[in-house]
Structures are given as C-alpha cells and as structure tokens.
Amino acid sequence: MSTNTKRQAGAREALAVPDGETVPVEAPTSSDAPVRRRRRRVPEITYSVLVFIGLLVVWQVVVEMFDVSNILVPAPSAVAVSLVDGFRDGSLVSHSIVTMKEILIGFGIAVGSALVSAVLITQFRTVERVLFPLLILTQTIPKVAMAPLLIVWFGIGISSKVLTVALIAFFPLLINAVLGFRSAAHEQVEMLRSFGASRMQVMRHLQIPSALPHIFAGLEVAVILSVTGAVVAEFVGSSEGLGYLIQASNFTLDVARTFAVIVVLSAVGIALHAVVVQLGKWLVFWTATPTNAASEV
Amino acid sequence: MPTSTDTDCVIRLDSLSMLYPTKSGGTVQALDDVSLSVRAGEFISIVGPSGCGKSTLLRIIMGLSRQTSGQVTFGPSEDTHRNQLGMVFQQPLLLPWRTVRKNLLTSPDLHHARDAATQAKADELLVMLGLEEFGDRYPNELSGGMQQRVGIGRALMHDPRILLMDEPFGALDAMTRDQMGLDLLKIWDQDRKTVLFVTHSIPEAVLLADRVVVMTPRPGRLADVVEVALPRPRRLENINTPEFGEIVLKIRKLLDSEHSAH
Ligand SMILES: Nc1ncnc2c1ncn2[C@@H]1O[C@H](COP(=O)(O)OP(=O)(O)OP(=O)(O)O)[C@@H](O)[C@H]1O
Ligand SMILES: [Mg+2]
C-alpha cells in the first residue's frame, strides 16, 4: 500500500516536469495543481489496462511456447473464439438470461425481506429479542450447504435457485441494514423530537437516510454473493443457466467454453456491482463528496 | 424568586437536582437544588464554568432528560406546553442530506406547514444569518460557524414561545458573534419570546439579558441571579459604559469566588 502510493507519487513528479514544458497551451492558462490532477488520472487506468493486456499476452505466449494442452489451460485466443461462438449460436445469451433472472429475483427477495426484518428488529424490542439471536445463529450455517436441500424441496427449476440466492444475500443485507437503522446519532433523534417529530417522522427523516450508506455497503457485498449463489445452485442440479453450462462444458472437456462462461459470469457480476455502486452514489450523495475528495489526494 | 409574580411566570424550576450514573457504578451530581422563575418574554443568560450543568439544565427543561428530584412547571396557563419550546443545541446537528434551506425548514416540514410565508421567512433568515448564497449547499460544504448559524435559524423557523439556546455562538468568531447577538436581540424584540441563553462570554451574557444566572462549578448551584437594568434596545457601544463594566465585574467576581471556594 505505502510502496504503491510512493511509486505513484514518484511517477507523478516525473510526469509533471516534461508536461509543463511540452504543453505550452495549457501551462499559462491553468495553475499547476489541476494540470497535475488531470494528468494523473489517465495513466492509472491505462496502466491497469496495459497490465491486463500484458498478462493476456504472456498467457497466450506461454500456452503456445510450452504447447500446453487445451484441456488444461486454453489460450486466450481459444477462449475468445468460444465466446464469439457462444454469442453467435445464442447459447451464452439464453443461459445468461436464465441465470440473471435467478439472480435478480433472488436478490430482490433478499433485499425486500432483509429491509423489512431490519425495520422490525430496530423498531420493536420484542422482535429484536426473539428474532435476532435466531437469525445470528442461523447465519453460522454455510448457506451453500443448503442448496442441495432446496433442490430436493423445490425441484431443479428456477425456484430452488432463487431461494439459494435469496438465502445467501439475505444476511449481509440484514446485518448492514440493522446497523444502518441504528446508526443515527442519539442527539439527532433528540433534535427532531424537540421539534415535535413523531416516531414515524424520525424514521423517515433521520433513520432511513442515515441507514442508506450502510445498506448500500451491504448491497455491494450481497450482489456479488448472489451471483455465487445462483451458480452454486445450478451446479447442484439444473438443466439451464451459466452454472449448468460450466458443468456441461467441463463434462465434454471443452475447457475454453468453461473459461468463456467464467468471463461472462464475471461480466454479469461486474455489471450488477456497478449498477449498485452507481445507484449508491446517486442516492447517498452527501457522503460521496468527501470520498471523492479523499480518492483525489 | 423575589421579583416575579405567579401570573407572568412561564417556567418555574423548584429545587432541581440531577445525578448522572457513571460507568463505575457511582454518580456525578450535575445540578444541585436549582430554583428559578422565568417571566414571560424575559431574556435570561446563564453563565458558569464548563461542566457545571448548563446543558443539563436546558435538557431537563426541554424534556430530553429527567431530573433526579425537583420540579419543572410551565405557566401561567395550561397552553404553555413542551411543544412551545425550541432548542438550539450545542452542536449544529444538521441533517447532511438536506440543503441549508431545507435544514431551516425542518420544523415546518415536520408539521406540514411549508407554505409561501414560511419560504419567505426562510429566505429572510438566510440573509440575516449571512447565508443567502448558501441556501442550496449541503452542510458538509459549510464551516463549523456557518453550520451553527443554520442550527440557530432552524430553531427560529420553529418559532417557539420559549427558546432554549445552548452556547449557540460557540463556534463563531468574535465579530460574527457580536453581530449575531444583536440580530438575535432584534428578532427577540419583535415578539418577545422567552429566551434562556447559555454562554461562556460574560459581556455577551450581559449585553443580551434582562437577568444573568451565575452558576457554581459542579455540582451546579445558583451562585446568584444578576439583574441587568440597562436600557433597551442595546447596542454594541453599551459595552463601553461604566454601568455595563460594573455588572460584568460583579459576575466575574461571583464566578471567581465560587471557583476559589472549591
Ligand atoms: N449523559 C451523561 N452521563 C453522565 N454524566 C453526564 C452526562 N451528561 C453530562 N454529564 C456530567 O454532568 C456534568 C454537567 O454536564 P453539562 O453538559 O450539563 O455541563 P455544561 O455546563 O453544559 O458544560 P459546558 O459548558 O462544557 O458545555 C458534567 O460533569 C458531565 O460530566
Ligand atoms: Mg454544555
């Protein structure tokens, strides 16, 4: 971490000197600091992309040089071909849609039930006393271990997958939401009450907005877990979906296809995560400013 | 209290005591036998060393804390209820997701009373608070003193009959502080709310108040209640008059003697 920032600082300084001289248009109009800031951002992303491409090239070269078996590790080019094929014949798309559906419905159920539970737990003492210890206890069960049972109970259709996803996403959401609803400062509650706010109004004007940052922290974790949950449930028993596709292609030793599905799965995960993060930035705008400022330092 | 009759008394404190439990199982006495009658429309300043129980006193009056013994009664008639109290807290306590203007409108929003008149009043307050350019900004874009001013404005928007102010100018620089004090007096003069004003500045306490309550170090008792018989409207120049200096000196001596007695 510290060596990383040092290296970046060094690179920044090395960049700053030639910049001032080779870009005469910018130098006189803008001050030094903004120029540096703008310059600094571009390389960070480009470096990541370059490193990524570099790794792919090394991978390709190693596979070709040492003639690695396609069944062990396929070359990136083979994965790319398999990806294109999968999209051409529509198989990747149709299976993605199935898995997405499982993820979204399961995630939705988890979000809804976790938020309702969190409100009940934080608003009613008795609910908290009875329910919370039980929930904490059941949290220690590894949720993926429940997947086979759910298949037995609900069949190999979509409902067992949806429930696995919901189960796996529920707890991080619940814990964060409970923390969030409790995060409002006591003094703030007193302030609102001093203006005559009812309990519902304290909830609406204070506790819900204060909970949002925590809820979004939970959503970010839960959305990634949802993808895992759907794939695991499909592994256990299914006739369609990306998890099914991985097992099927593994069975036929089509490892390039397995890799292609993994790429699609990561893309799905990244996209869902990005949606959650973006939504969070938009809804929790008041904490976004300091975080942005910090990342610029 | 000698000078008040029962008819125009709005808050009456009868031997209030407050014991806080401590973590180690003991207690801390914050208030000891505090009795005071506050007349309607009176401006009372409260001074005393840090930790003597000034905030505790306001919290008890506000109903946020419950006294260990003693009584708070509101008068003269039953229509002086707790909801006619408003408080400016020692911290600004702004809601970070509300703009400055919306923070001012907290109370009207809670009472579904955000009409054109309240909007206009909010605009007026923004000007008075020196925040007219910051109405649409968020609290985290404001300095501590500016946030404190929004907190004051929010209580003024609530428009209570009795205003409790806990070191409202604590985070302000000396010049803004004087100006805010005079502005507060102007507002107070319009409808003569009853004000309880906690401060650490003796000249400020004297400049604003009809009476200054001087408290002893913990456990807070009333050392004395000093009458400020200076004419109104008060001006900043009042500070340089000998009468003013005398009252300030009297309070300072009271605080000093109480301090050395401990
Ligand atoms: N919630 C609490 N629990 C325990 N002790 C408390 C609590 N609040 C205040 N006290 C104690 O009561 C005493 C009076 O506190 P209070 O906040 O009323 O003082 P204050 O006069 O407002 O001081 P300051 O001028 O520094 O704001 C202090 O000694 C403090 O330690
Ligand atoms: Mg205090």
Side-chain angles (χ1 to χ4, degrees):
Chain A
M1 196 57 209
S2 67
T3 53
N4 193 15
T5 44
K6 246 183 240 162
R7 185 172 46 72
Q8 285 178 353
R12 213 181 300 149
E13 259 150 37
L15 272 175
V17 181
D19 267 1
E21 290 168 357
T22 51
V23 192
V25 191
E26 276 190 9
T29 50
S30 54
S31 74
D32 193 28
V35 172
R36 272 196 201 177
R37 198 177 296 156
R38 222 179 310 138
R39 298 275 138 187
R40 199 184 341 143
R41 241 195 219 150
V42 183
E44 268 174 29
I45 301 159
T46 355
Y47 282 146
S48 311
V49 172
L50 285 178
V51 167
F52 183 69
I53 293 173
L55 282 174
L56 285 183
V57 170
V58 170
W59 178 1
Q60 180 82 30
V61 168
V62 167
V63 167
E64 273 175 22
M65 255 177 40
F66 298 100
D67 202 14
V68 180
S69 157
N70 234 353
I71 298 170
L72 268 179
V73 180
S77 55
V79 175
V81 168
S82 181
L83 258 178
V84 172
D85 283 350
F87 276 107
R88 278 232 183 94
D89 65 20
S91 61
L92 271 181
V93 178
S94 62
H95 286 285
S96 295
I97 289 173
V98 170
T99 304
M100 277 291 267
K101 211 159 127 192
E102 295 163 359
I103 293 172
L104 290 180
I105 299 176
F107 186 63
I109 292 175
V111 172
S113 51
L115 290 185
V116 170
S117 313
V119 169
L120 292 177
I121 284 170
T122 49
Q123 290 298 301
F124 301 104
R125 260 282 149 75
T126 24
V127 179
E128 180 186 350
R129 288 218 191 98
V130 176
L131 219 57
F132 209 45
L134 283 177
L135 286 171
I136 296 290
L137 197 73
T138 45
Q139 201 206 351
T140 55
I141 302 170
K143 257 69 64 187
V144 286
M146 298 285 291
L149 269 180
L150 291 173
I151 302 270
V152 172
W153 290 338
F154 297 96
I156 63 163
I158 188 169
S159 38
S160 57
K161 317 308 181 284
V162 165
L163 284 175
T164 309
V165 170
L167 203 61
I168 211 170
F170 177 75
F171 286 101
L173 277 173
L174 177 78
I175 300 296
N176 279 286
V178 167
L179 277 180
F181 284 119
R182 284 190 183 144
S183 68
H186 186 238
E187 291 81 10
Q188 296 273 33
V189 179
E190 289 185 336
M191 181 275 293
L192 283 179
R193 298 222 82 143
S194 82
F195 291 128
S198 66
R199 200 163 136 177
M200 283 303 289
Q201 284 180 317
V202 172
M203 185 84 198
R204 187 178 141 219
H205 289 283
L206 178 64
Q207 277 156 337
I208 289 176
S210 336
L212 281 180
H214 298 264
I215 290 174
F216 271 94
L219 286 173
E220 279 185 40
V221 177
V223 80
I224 295 297
L225 284 178
S226 300
V227 180
T228 312
V231 173
V232 167
E234 286 173 358
F235 280 175
V236 176
S238 63
S239 53
E240 48 185 353
L242 290 174
Y244 163 80
L245 211 53
I246 287 181
Q247 285 216 312
S249 49
N250 242 16
F251 190 70
T252 56
L253 297 182
D254 188 354
V255 184
R257 192 168 171 83
T258 306
F259 269 81
V261 178
I262 291 174
V263 169
V264 172
L265 270 173
S266 326
V268 167
I270 292 171
L272 288 174
H273 187 256
V275 169
V276 169
V277 168
Q278 207 47 48
L279 201 65
K281 272 192 186 155
W282 182 59
L283 276 175
V284 193
F285 55 90
W286 60 92
T287 58
T289 321
T291 332
N292 281 352
S295 70
E296 269 178 21
V297 172
Chain B
M1 287 277 91
T3 49
S4 70
T5 63
D6 263 5
T7 47
D8 62 353
C9 159
V10 282
I11 310 172
R12 189 201 189 94
L13 311 178
D14 283 313
S15 11
L16 278 188
S17 293
M18 183 69 183
L19 292 168
Y20 283 113
T22 57
K23 286 248 164 61
S24 53
T27 51
V28 180
Q29 180 144 27
L31 290 176
D32 182 18
D33 195 27
V34 172
S35 297
L36 180 73
S37 287
V38 182
R39 292 185 292 262
E42 193 174 24
F43 199 121
I44 289 193
S45 294
I46 302 171
V47 295
S50 177
C52 74
K54 305 181 294 294
S55 298
T56 303
L57 185 63
L58 293 196
R59 288 178 55 88
I60 291 174
I61 297 173
M62 191 70 222
L64 296 174
S65 299
R66 176 104 188 112
Q67 67 271 25
T68 318
S69 65
Q71 250 196 336
V72 185
T73 32
F74 294 94
S77 56
E78 274 310 301
D79 69 340
T80 319
H81 289 304
R82 282 242 151 85
N83 59 14
Q84 286 177 314
L85 295 166
M87 183 141 170
V88 178
F89 293 84
Q90 203 161 349
Q91 301 92 33
L93 299 179
L94 304 181
L95 299 178
W97 45 85
R98 286 184 156 239
T99 60
V100 166
R101 182 189 306 276
K102 282 199 160 179
N103 264 291
L104 285 182
L105 291 168
T106 301
S107 170
D109 279 353
L110 291 174
H111 299 100
H112 311 287
R114 210 211 271 193
D115 49 23
T118 43
Q119 296 276 10
K121 192 175 166 194
D123 286 335
E124 245 171 66
L125 271 175
L126 280 174
V127 174
M128 190 215 99
L129 298 165
L131 294 169
E132 62 268 50
E133 284 158 39
F134 293 88
D136 298 322
R137 300 285 198 90
Y138 287 90
N140 65 10
E141 302 172 89
L142 266 54
S143 73
M146 291 158 96
Q147 295 185 22
Q148 188 76 54
R149 279 180 267 163
V150 181
I152 297 168
R154 182 179 55 192
L156 291 175
M157 275 307 292
H158 183 54
D159 201 17
R161 291 253 300 269
I162 301 166
L163 187 56
L164 310 176
M165 308 183 83
D166 194 354
E167 293 183 45
F169 304 155
L172 302 183
D173 61 285
M175 262 156 50
T176 316
R177 191 172 177 139
D178 289 341
Q179 191 51 51
M180 289 290 297
L182 295 174
D183 285 340
L184 177 64
L185 275 188
K186 231 185 282 166
I187 290 178
W188 173 75
D189 209 33
Q190 284 167 14
D191 57 356
R192 294 276 166 148
K193 294 180 196 311
T194 309
V195 182
L196 292 188
F197 183 94
V198 171
T199 175
H200 275 144
S201 157
I202 301 173
E204 183 177 88
V206 174
L207 181 67
L208 301 178
D210 298 316
R211 288 193 291 161
V212 180
V213 170
V214 184
M215 292 180 70
T216 67
R218 207 184 58 213
R221 280 174 287 106
L222 292 200
D224 202 354
V225 180
V226 178
E227 293 276 344
V228 183
L230 300 173
R232 291 189 185 271
R234 307 261 171 87
R235 295 194 184 76
L236 219 45
E237 299 86 78
N238 283 108
I239 293 182
N240 299 321
T241 61
E243 300 94 305
F244 192 94
E246 257 168 48
I247 300 171
V248 168
L249 195 66
K250 183 174 174 190
I251 294 171
R252 191 155 280 151
K253 275 187 180 151
L254 273 168
L255 285 169
D256 276 349
S257 65
E258 287 297 338
H259 230 345
S260 47
H262 270 72

